[in-house]
Amino acid sequence: MAEASEVLMSVLSTIRVPRPGDRVHKDECAFSFSSPESEGGLYVCMNTFLGFGSQYVDRHYNRTGQRAYLHITRTRKAQKEDDNSSGSGDPPKKKPTRLAIGIEGGFDVEQDQYEEEVKVVLLPDRQEVTSEDLSSMPDVVKERVSQSMAGLMAADSVSHALQVQQWDGEVRQESRHAAQLKQLDNGVKIPPSGWKCEVCDLQENLWMNLSDGKVLCGRRYFDGSGGNNHALLYFQQTGYPLAVKLGTITPDGADVYSYDEDDMVLDSKLPEHLSHFGINMMTMEKTERTMTELEIAVNQRVGEWEVIQESGATLRPLSGPGLTGIKNLGNSCYLNSVMQVLFTVPDFQSKYVSNIENIFTEAPSDPTQDFKTQVGKLGYGLLSGEYSKPAPDPGDDPTVNSEPRGDQVGIAPRMFKALVGRGHPEFSTNRQQDAQEFLLHFINMVERNCRSGENPTEAFRFLVEERIVCQQSHKAKYTQRVDYIVQLPVPMDQATNIEEIQEADRRREEAESAGAPPPPAPRARIPFAACLAALSEPETLTDFWSSAVQAKTTASKTTRFASFPDHLVIQVKKFTFGLDWVPKKLDVSIDVPDTLDLSALRGMGQQPGEELLPEVAQPPPGAPEVKAPVLDDSTVSQLCEMGFPLEACRKAVYYTGNTGIDAAMNWVMGHMDDPDFSAPLVLPGCSSAPGTTPSEPVSEEHLATIISMGFSRDQATRALRATSNVLERAVDWIFSHLDDLESMEVSEGGRPAVESERSREAPPGPRVRDGPGKYELFAFISHMGASTMCGHYVCHIKKDQQWVIFNDQKVCASEKPPKDLGYLYFYRRVME
């Protein structure tokens, strides 16, 4: 120990004690998915607090010279069966009683299932120093090293801090109606049992209105289960806000729902309110599951195989390179599915996996914050096969091989998820997200980090040709824009079983009028050819300003491919809005083909003899100056509160002539897919939006902020002028117009080239690949649930002519891939 003591004394100044705010990575290696539970454990640098697996700690030492590392290893404790065990080897687990994590009664986070061993390791010889060894060393060494060890073990790891470890879904607020609730003196008395809905005779999921004692059934769930909405409909008729769930009343309380506040609430006067209808809380017993228990049951089922469409088959587990599962980090199945598919694409493999050693060698001092490092780490983890091993049964002795069950040890991409979600209002949370939105978000991040050199997103990038023909002058206008995803409309009126659907609608209306449960609705069967026809059919523009006739007129717009990408992504537009503006999902089956030929949808450009609309059309001499419109601010505000972009809301109000929220909302819903939906409002005859004239000064502070992100002054100025000098919008704008900005020539040092040099030739357009429009299906992502904000995602990928289903950690051979129920489809080009 004398030698180790001397080494520690020599490096004592580099050993730090974590302070508040320090980032401690003690759960995951910066370059791999090694953890304290992995073979070899995890080495945490006692200076930088970065974690490294056994195969990467020497790299960090050679690069930094740091010698002292805290070595953490965890081994699973052997589980003992108790008298209540089923005999299967699984210990009985305490059933959660609260929709919570990390608190008494909540979900068990299994923090006590491991035995932990901690010691200091000194590189390069990997000398080991235990706590007992420290006791015989000089006081100055013992004190400093012990404090660092204790501080590292006590500190929250970064991954722990990023998760809401102590989350309680049961925290409810006092209803604003509770204190002054008016109860009718109608003589109603509720018996202690034998309840049924007063409309449909349903005998479960019953709610008693606390204003008049009416007993009615609860809401109908998206899958048709639950009640028949009669309690909700009654509130809409009467405005009586509070209801208590019968069967949940006990001396400790009950489930109380406020329809007006649209949430579960507390009612401090509940004993008094129940007594009004003859109910004594102190004598009541629970006979129904509380809403919390129902939510817990749903949460516990989310990761089970039974929710997948192939639940009826016994699926064969797969493992090996390219067959690695990904752990669900809390509603992260959207991320898991997208990344599994992307790393099937050769461009992403070449960029981030083929040269993984170079990526790691060139990584900055903190690789946990480096985009290229973390993407490469994820790609290598998925493709190498190192983590594609069957997970042991938690109840079995870890030394005994358990029967494969489909789920794997897999990888937990916590660093990657934190990095790609950082600063984003949605992807930084643990809420469920739209897989299509995440795909575009990730493509945007790759674009930003590949401004020079190989860019794998070019595999998906294509040009769209839009041809607009003025119906009055018959002159045409051609524009091109970059896109990455084809959004495929779903023409419900083209369903092949339309008569069956209409009959089901008629029977549902009859059941609702009679107060009976509705019959199950049939799934609409839509031909893929009908979806393609809807995509390619001309669109009528009723408010098109024609530069040829100097007035608004009608025009037709057709959309075609100006280029065909190597890999084509198709999104089926299953998610829409109902008549009440509530998001809903279309239950459709589409016969998506294995092979696809889109050659007929290639744009041909200007036709022989076709006359183009004037490029620049100034108002005729003597015409009055076009002034900024006076918009109804209240309508604009209402639309913004719904989450729509400000400029889109302004355009909606302008183009509907300030006629109110309904007309503006209809305009928004009809133009959401327009490429300029969020662009500033440009008035006919004006060259730019109000407040964005070329001579208008921009904020120097905003300029400095954008320049600090690596953009030139000209690029930052252009972004601010395009977004009315609003910094947040300018940042969004600049990242969505990277191709345009890259065409602005920039000399060394970030200064723009002289104007005369720039004008010698037209700037190049965005880099796109082109080829035949023939494709074959190689992957698709499916969604289960009522909307993109809930439910579950899985993906199917074709590997060596075999379809494989990836359901988080479960990887199995697919028996019947549900290709007709997908949400995102991925095709690759077929070369003739």
Side-chain angles (χ1 to χ4, degrees), residues 415-542:
M415 286 184 188
F416 173 81
K417 184 177 185 296
L419 187 61
V420 299
R422 187 175 58 195
H424 193 281
E426 293 298 334
F427 300 127
S428 61
T429 72
N430 279 345
R431 295 190 293 269
Q432 184 63 275
Q433 305 298 335
D434 186 343
Q436 180 257 359
E437 291 181 3
F438 176 75
L439 173 60
L440 289 178
H441 170 72
F442 184 71
I443 286 176
N444 191 20
M445 292 197 75
V446 175
E447 294 274 11
R448 285 154 51 184
N449 286 275
C450 297
R451 299 182 65 192
S452 60
E454 181 185 0
N455 185 347
T457 65
E458 290 179 9
F460 299 113
R461 187 190 297 165
F462 61 94
L463 288 176
V464 176
E465 176 191 281
E466 291 184 343
R467 175 176 179 261
I468 299 178
V469 178
C470 170
Q471 296 298 292
Q472 191 168 342
S473 66
H474 300 291
K475 296 181 179 180
K477 174 184 178 182
Y478 288 87
T479 58
Q480 289 188 347
R481 58 178 171 85
V482 173
D483 213 333
Y484 295 88
I485 296 179
V486 176
Q487 293 186 315
L488 195 66
V490 181
M492 296 296 290
D493 58 342
Q494 298 297 309
T496 57
N497 58 337
I498 188 70
E499 294 181 357
E500 180 186 3
I501 295 172
Q502 292 172 345
E503 175 62 20
D505 289 342
R506 185 187 63 78
R507 285 189 280 113
R508 187 187 69 250
E509 292 174 358
E510 291 177 351
E512 289 179 352
S513 61
R523 175 173 291 144
R525 296 191 295 271
I526 312 294
F528 183 80
C531 299
L532 270 187
L535 174 70
S536 59
E537 68 182 10
E539 175 187 355
T540 300
L541 307 178
T542 57

Side-chain angles (χ1 to χ4, degrees), residues 67 382 686:
R67 299 190 63 181
L382 291 176
C686 292

Side-chain angles (χ1 to χ4, degrees), residues 465-645:
E465 176 191 281
E466 291 184 343
R467 175 176 179 261
I468 299 178
V469 178
C470 170
Q471 296 298 292
Q472 191 168 342
S473 66
H474 300 291
K475 296 181 179 180
K477 174 184 178 182
Y478 288 87
T479 58
Q480 289 188 347
R481 58 178 171 85
V482 173
D483 213 333
Y484 295 88
I485 296 179
V486 176
Q487 293 186 315
L488 195 66
V490 181
M492 296 296 290
D493 58 342
Q494 298 297 309
T496 57
N497 58 337
I498 188 70
E499 294 181 357
E500 180 186 3
I501 295 172
Q502 292 172 345
E503 175 62 20
D505 289 342
R506 185 187 63 78
R507 285 189 280 113
R508 187 187 69 250
E509 292 174 358
E510 291 177 351
E512 289 179 352
S513 61
R523 175 173 291 144
R525 296 191 295 271
I526 312 294
F528 183 80
C531 299
L532 270 187
L535 174 70
S536 59
E537 68 182 10
E539 175 187 355
T540 300
L541 307 178
T542 57
D543 53 1
F544 176 74
W545 192 83
S546 170
S547 58
V549 299
Q550 295 287 297
K552 279 189 176 184
T553 184
T554 302
S556 66
K557 182 176 78 171
T558 54
T559 303
R560 294 291 185 269
F561 289 90
S563 68
F564 287 116
D566 288 349
H567 293 76
L568 182 72
V569 185
I570 296 178
Q571 176 199 13
V572 177
K573 296 175 66 175
K574 288 187 173 184
F575 299 97
T576 183
F577 289 88
L579 297 176
D580 52 0
W581 303 115
V582 175
K584 68 174 185 178
K585 178 180 176 181
L586 301 177
D587 186 17
V588 295
S589 168
I590 301 176
D591 59 335
V592 176
D594 289 318
T595 58
L596 192 60
D597 188 351
L598 300 178
S599 304
L601 296 183
R602 182 182 285 276
M604 305 304 294
Q606 184 178 358
Q607 302 301 299
E610 185 177 53
E611 192 174 350
L612 298 180
L613 285 164
E615 285 290 336
V616 179
Q618 298 293 336
E625 180 184 357
V626 179
K627 297 181 179 180
V630 178
L631 303 178
D632 183 352
D633 290 338
S634 64
T635 304
V636 174
S637 298
Q638 288 182 65
L639 291 173
C640 287
E641 288 172 0
M642 297 179 189
F644 299 110

Side-chain angles (χ1 to χ4, degrees), residues 28-99:
E28 183 181 345
C29 171
F31 294 114
S32 71
F33 292 98
S34 296
S35 69
E37 295 85 39
S38 304
E39 183 178 353
L42 193 72
Y43 294 79
V44 181
C45 176
M46 299 179 77
N47 177 266
T48 63
F49 308 138
L50 294 172
F52 301 95
S54 180
Q55 70 273 43
Y56 291 107
V57 65
D58 290 304
R59 180 196 298 268
H60 187 254
Y61 160 73
N62 292 330
R63 184 169 183 175
T64 64
Q66 298 295 336
R67 299 190 63 181
Y69 295 82
L70 187 68
H71 185 217
I72 308 174
T73 57
R74 297 192 193 113
T75 54
R76 186 184 294 273
K77 292 181 181 179
Q79 299 289 340
K80 295 182 180 180
E81 265 184 54
D82 65 12
D83 296 336
N84 296 322
S85 175
S86 64
S88 63
D90 293 328
K93 291 187 178 180
K94 188 175 180 181
K95 186 176 180 179
T97 57
R98 295 176 69 83
L99 189 64

Side-chain angles (χ1 to χ4, degrees), residues 688-702:
S688 60
T692 59
T693 58
S695 60
E696 180 186 355
V698 295
S699 166
E700 287 295 327
E701 181 181 355
H702 292 351

